[in-house]
Each structure stands twice: as C-alpha cells, then as structure tokens.
C-alpha cells in the first residue's frame, strides 16, 4: 500500500499549486501597469519592488525550509495559505507605496510557504519511496498555472480594479487552498500515527563524506540554470524582437508553456527508469542549447520556434529535478531544509537576473548578452557532471572495499 502513488494528494496539490502560482506570481505582470498608475510609479519601479520582494523572500527560504522538517510541510502550507490571503488583501488595501512594498514582500514569503518547495517536501514526507514519481506527476498538473491565470487575470482586470482582482485571489487562497492544505496535513498526520511500522526512508546515493561538496555543486548548478532561465523568460518577447523576429516574437513565445508541459509528460511516460542526475544533466543541456540555437539561427522564425520549444522543455524538466535530485543524492532525511536552502539561492539570483540582463542588453547588445547567459547555463553541465563523477568514484570505492 505504501508503494502506491498518492493520487488524491497529488491532484489536490495540483489544484493548490495552480492557484498559488497563478495568484501570487503569474498575475503580477498583467496587473503591474494598473498598480504603477495607482501609485504614480513607473512600471520599472513596480517590477523593481517585485525584485526586492523576491530577494527578501529568498533570504527567508532557508528558515522556512527548516519548518517543513520541524512541523511538517502540510501544516506549513496551511499557514501559508492564510498568510497568502492576508498578504493579497494587505496589498489591495495598501494606502501608500511603503505599505504596498511591505505587502508585496509578504506575498513572496507566503509563496515560499505554499509553492513547489513546500509541495515537494510534503510528498517526500507522505511517501518518500515514491516521491520522485509523485513530484513528476505534480509538476505536470501544475504546469497549467500560467495558461489558466494569464487569461483569467486579464478578463478580471477588464471588469474591475486590480485591488478587487487581488481580493478575489485572496478568497481563492483562503477558501480553496487553505481547506485543501489543512485536509492534506490532517491526513498525513493520521497516517503517521496509525502506521504500524516506521515510515519508510529513502537513502541518498552520495556517501556522507561527499555530501557537502555534492550539495554545493547541486545548488550552484540549479542556481546557474535558474539565473539564465528567469532572465530570458522575463525579456523573451523584447529579446526575440531585438533579434529581428518583429511581430512574430509574441507568437513564438507562446510555444514555451506547452513545451514545458510536453517535456514533463514525455518524462512521466518514458523516463520512469531515468536517474534524477541524468535528467538534471539533460535539462542542463537543453536550456543553453536552446539559447545557442537562437543565436545561430535568428532572425529565422523556425529557428526561434525550435529555441522556444527546447528552452521550454529544459525549464519543464528543471522544475522536476529540483524536487527529485536532492532526494536521489541525499535521501529523505532533512529534505525540507535542503529545499529551503536551494530556494534561497535560486530566488535571490532569479530576483536580480532580469535587471542584470536588461542592463547588459542596453550596454553590450542582445547577442552578446544571450551568449553570456548560455555560457553561465553551460556551467551547470559541469556541476552535475562533477556530481556524476563523485557518484561513480564512490561506487568504485565501495566495490574495492
């Protein structure tokens, strides 16, 4: 029984992940111009405030990750849904810029309590022996957040103020996500109490003496991929336009989302026996590979379409391996703390990356900036390759012993 995929929990988490990412992240770019007009700020300042909020949210992530282990990820997500609802309401009713930025910071902290890092930790704590497959299924369901919430937000924005949109989104977190998280948390607690044997554990493949270095290499690899990914994603349409794609840039950009979902579906069907480290290497190849194709083939529209698909597939796999690789390398013990530490590094770099790329494009041009992004992302291949060498030398040492 314990080896079965917790389908009900995955579907329930899929609902809350779509709402969490849709209301706390994807809606912002749609509502930002109205927010800027309301506070008499430029749109650049509004996105600057988001970067500050992401940065501070990243700094809190290690502490939040420790909470997953101490009190259970389900309980943290339940609290997080209440915090998210309160933060959205505070943002909607903020009387001035300072209170608005403070509420924005609260939103990003709440996001760390309810999004992938917390959901992955919950699945590991629920059934660690099948957590890798559970995470893959969850990312497939949650891949539709942008597809759903970009148009939903746009429709709501056309009918009402951004403040009222945030009030509706607060209600979704309070009346849908919170009860689901509370139910999941209660079910997990009951399962632990009624279990007649100790909860199964997953052992990591890296020997204990190599885990510190392995963890640093893994975090560096994920951080470099996230830096390049977030920078290019934020600027995708202007970047494609600047490379000569013109009015087709926005159309090409729409291929990204379906490609993310497609890569997760392909992995779910055909990648069941593929080790998480090999999947991480594959993702690390796809992200810079897509950028290099764009550099070589632009302004070719077919070339840009290939870029969007390969880049999207790499990002889709990245979401999976950030959950499965720590489990594969280090095991289920302390998983929540490791997720928090990884989230911190990735969020901090993701916060500054769009600003740095915008500055680079203005100073040295789009092709050179894109080449730097691709080079940085290629370094992730080296990081994961070194972990693979460590794994193999560890096996050799055990065999020799």
């Amino acid at each position: 029984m314990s080896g079965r995929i917790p389908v009900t929990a995955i579907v329930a988490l899929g609902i809350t992940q779509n709402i969490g990412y849709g209301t706390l992240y994807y809606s912002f770019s749609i509502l930002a111009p109205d927010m800027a007009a309301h506070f008499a700020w430029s749109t650049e300042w509004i996105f600057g405030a988001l970067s500050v909020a992401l940065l501070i949210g990243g700094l809190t992530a290690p502490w939040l990750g420790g909470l997953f282990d101490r009190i259970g990820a389900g309980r943290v997500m339940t609290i997080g849904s209440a915090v998210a609802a309160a933060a959205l309401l505070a943002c909607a009713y903020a009387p001035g810029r300072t209170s608005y930025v403070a509420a924005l910071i609260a939103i990003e902290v709440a996001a760390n309590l309810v999004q992938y890092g917390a959901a992955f930790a919950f699945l590991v704590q629920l059934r660690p022996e099948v957590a890798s497959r559970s995470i893959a299924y969850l990312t497939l369901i949650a891949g539709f957040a942008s597809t759903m919430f970009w148009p939903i937000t746009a429709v709501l924005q056309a009918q009402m103020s951004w403040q009222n949109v945030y009030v509706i989104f607060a209600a979704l977190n309070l009346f849908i996500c919170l009860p689901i998280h509370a139910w999941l948390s209660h079910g997990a607690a009951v399962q632990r109490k009624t279990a007649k044997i100790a909860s199964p554990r997953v052992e990591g493949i890296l020997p204990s003496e190599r885990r510190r270095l392995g963890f640093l290499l893994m975090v560096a690899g994920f951080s470099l991929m996230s830096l390049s990914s977030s920078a290019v994603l934020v600027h995708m349409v202007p970047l494609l336009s600047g490379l000569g794609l013109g009015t087709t840039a926005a159309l090409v950009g729409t291929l990204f989302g379906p490609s993310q979902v497609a890569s997760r579906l392909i992995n779910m069907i055909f990648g069941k026996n593929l080790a998480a480290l090999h999947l991480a290497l594959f993702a690390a190849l796809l992200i810079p590979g897509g950028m290099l194709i764009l550099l070589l083939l632009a302004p070719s529209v077919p070339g840009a379409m290939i870029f969007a698909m390969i880049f999207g597939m790499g990002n889709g796999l990245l979401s999976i391996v950030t959950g499965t690789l720590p489990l594969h390398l280090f095991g289920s013990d302390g998983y929540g703390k490791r997720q928090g530490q990884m989230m911190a590094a990735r969020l901090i770099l993701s916060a500054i990356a769009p600003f740095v790329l915008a500055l680079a494009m203005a100073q040295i041009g789009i092709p050179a900036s894109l080449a730097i992004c691709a080079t940085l992302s290629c370094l992730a291949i080296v990081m994961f390759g070194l972990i693979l060498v460590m794994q193999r030398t560890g096996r050799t040492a055990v065999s020799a012993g």
Side-chain angles (χ1 to χ4, degrees), residues 26-40:
Y26 287 114
S27 64
F28 187 86
S29 61
I30 305 292
L31 301 175
D34 288 354
M35 293 174 177
H38 176 78
F39 291 107

Side-chain angles (χ1 to χ4, degrees), residues 149-167:
F149 273 86
W150 275 336
I152 287 172
T153 306
V155 169
L156 290 174
Q157 182 195 34
Q159 304 296 322
M160 61 187 70
S161 68
W162 70 268
Q163 290 97 330
N164 287 334
V165 175
Y166 262 14
V167 170

Side-chain angles (χ1 to χ4, degrees), residues 295-315:
L295 273 172
L296 292 172
L297 299 183
S300 161
V301 173
M305 294 172 71
I306 294 171
F307 149 74
M309 289 187 287
I310 292 177
F311 189 71
M313 292 179 75
N315 275 273

Side-chain angles (χ1 to χ4, degrees), residues 34-106:
D34 288 354
M35 293 174 177
H38 176 78
F39 291 107
W41 260 357
S42 67
T43 305
E44 289 78 9
W45 274 103
I46 290 291
F47 278 100
L50 177 64
S51 293
V52 170
L54 285 167
L55 188 64
I56 295 174
L59 293 174
T60 65
W63 176 76
L64 297 176
L67 276 182
F68 301 155
D69 291 328
R70 287 198 297 275
I71 69 172
R75 204 175 282 177
V76 172
M77 295 182 82
T78 305
I79 297 168
S81 293
V83 174
L88 286 165
L89 288 174
C91 198
Y93 292 105
R97 296 174 179 176
T98 303
S99 55
Y100 166 79
V101 173
L104 208 56
I105 291 169

Side-chain angles (χ1 to χ4, degrees), residues 123-132 199-206 211 324-335 338:
L123 291 172
V124 169
Q125 291 168 359
L126 185 66
R127 289 185 192 168
E129 72 279 14
V130 294
S132 291
S199 297
R201 295 166 65 248
V202 171
E203 296 290 343
I205 62 167
L206 282 184
R211 290 193 171 186
T324 58
L325 188 59
L327 182 65
H328 179 64
L329 296 178
F330 311 108
S332 54
D333 290 346
Y335 179 88
R338 291 190 191 95

